[in-house]
Amino acid sequence: MLALLCVSLFLVACASDASLSTEEQIRDMYAKVTEIWQEVTGGRAADDGQDPTLHAMCQVQPSASLDAEQPQVTGFVLFRQLAPGARLEAFFNLEGFPPEPNGTKRAIHVHQFGDLSQGCGSTGPHYNPLGVQHPQHPGDFGNFAVRDGSLWKYRSGLVASLSGPHSIVGRAVVVHEGEDDLGRGGNLASLENGNAGRRLACCVVGLCGPEPWARLVQERRKRRRDSECKTA
Ligand SMILES: [Cu+2]
Ligand SMILES: [Zn+2]
């Protein structure tokens, strides 16, 4: 089975369409790899009549290697994927950023290892299964605006996956001190990690049931209603 997967991956690499942009080619390759994985493993839960939706949770903690005077960022990231191969959705809910001008941006990425033994420093580089440049790694979630020391954001259309050969389950989500230059920094580090600076906080992605996501959707509706009432 492994040999078949390797041959298939090789064929995918050879079959990339030259008319597509690099970003489109990489997205295309992620999609094809997932498709091949599903064929090889028979991993189409929908075919068995099961709900194919996957959920995962990551409880963010300050990096154990940070000095005590550094910001103590805590919170969680929740993920939902409606089916293997579908784009990922995520809620980011973090607090503990220092008071600074609203709109300050912080980078968030998926790093290779779910190893927090040396704080966020032991999570390794960006998760990069296809050996491409930043910001085209599957967990390059980009920049997030911080308001009043917290960050509350829903994002959809993320390339990362909770299943298949490029699953981010068991890997780390890392919250950085700085802004991601999205590969435009003009140096090598920019193409590896976006020069996003110190690792403030991190967590390991683990699969969970649908309840946390459902609770968050309810809370989001309530927040919307509350803000509508305030502006009415
Ligand atoms: Cu990072
Ligand atoms: Zn990256």
Side-chain angles (χ1 to χ4, degrees):
M1 187 181 282
L2 189 61
L4 179 59
L5 186 59
C6 291
V7 170
S8 305
L9 291 177
F10 176 73
L11 290 175
V12 164
C14 295
S16 294
D17 185 344
S19 67
L20 297 174
S21 71
T22 307
E23 192 177 343
E24 285 167 335
Q25 281 185 25
I26 291 168
R27 282 179 177 246
D28 198 33
M29 203 173 285
Y30 283 124
K32 282 178 178 158
V33 167
T34 303
E35 212 174 285
I36 292 165
W37 174 80
Q38 286 174 328
E39 294 297 332
V40 171
T41 62
R44 290 178 191 273
D47 292 349
D48 310 335
Q50 296 171 9
D51 180 359
T53 308
L54 293 163
H55 295 88
M57 150 86 87
C58 201
Q59 290 281 357
V60 178
Q61 296 294 326
S63 179
S65 55
L66 273 187
D67 301 336
E69 66 269 17
Q70 294 296 326
Q72 301 291 300
V73 174
T74 57
F76 62 85
V77 184
L78 271 181
F79 296 102
R80 179 173 77 160
Q81 191 173 23
L82 293 177
R87 292 288 171 83
L88 193 66
E89 302 167 78
F91 271 117
F92 300 83
N93 187 3
L94 302 170
E95 57 185 18
F97 294 100
E100 51 196 4
N102 279 345
T104 300
K105 293 194 173 117
R106 310 284 183 169
I108 302 181
H109 314 121
V110 174
H111 285 233
Q112 187 169 0
F113 304 120
D115 171 10
L116 310 185
S117 59
Q118 306 295 313
C120 306
S122 43
T123 60
H126 287 199
Y127 176 47
N128 186 11
L130 292 181
V132 297
Q133 291 183 334
H134 182 79
Q136 266 132 21
H137 306 136
D140 286 340
F141 297 145
N143 290 309
F144 293 78
V146 173
R147 298 204 179 280
D148 302 323
S150 12
L151 186 166
W152 166 265
K153 186 79 188 167
Y154 166 78
R155 291 235 173 126
S156 58
L158 303 172
V159 177
S161 181
L162 300 179
S163 68
H166 297 161
S167 171
I168 61 166
V169 174
R171 306 188 185 279
V173 171
V174 176
V175 182
H176 288 270
E177 185 175 38
E179 185 172 343
D180 191 328
D181 68 19
L182 304 174
R184 299 190 202 109
N187 58 14
L188 186 61
S190 175
L191 297 172
E192 289 174 355
N193 55 45
N195 289 310
R198 202 192 313 244
R199 302 174 183 192
L200 288 183
C202 54
C203 55
V204 179
V205 180
L207 290 175
C208 67
E211 296 82 10
W213 185 274
R215 279 197 299 271
L216 203 57
V217 168
Q218 273 185 347
E219 196 184 328
R220 197 169 175 230
R221 281 199 196 115
K222 185 174 175 299
R223 280 190 185 212
R224 274 216 189 119
R225 274 200 305 270
D226 289 352
S227 71
E228 279 166 14
C229 289
K230 272 182 205 157
T231 52

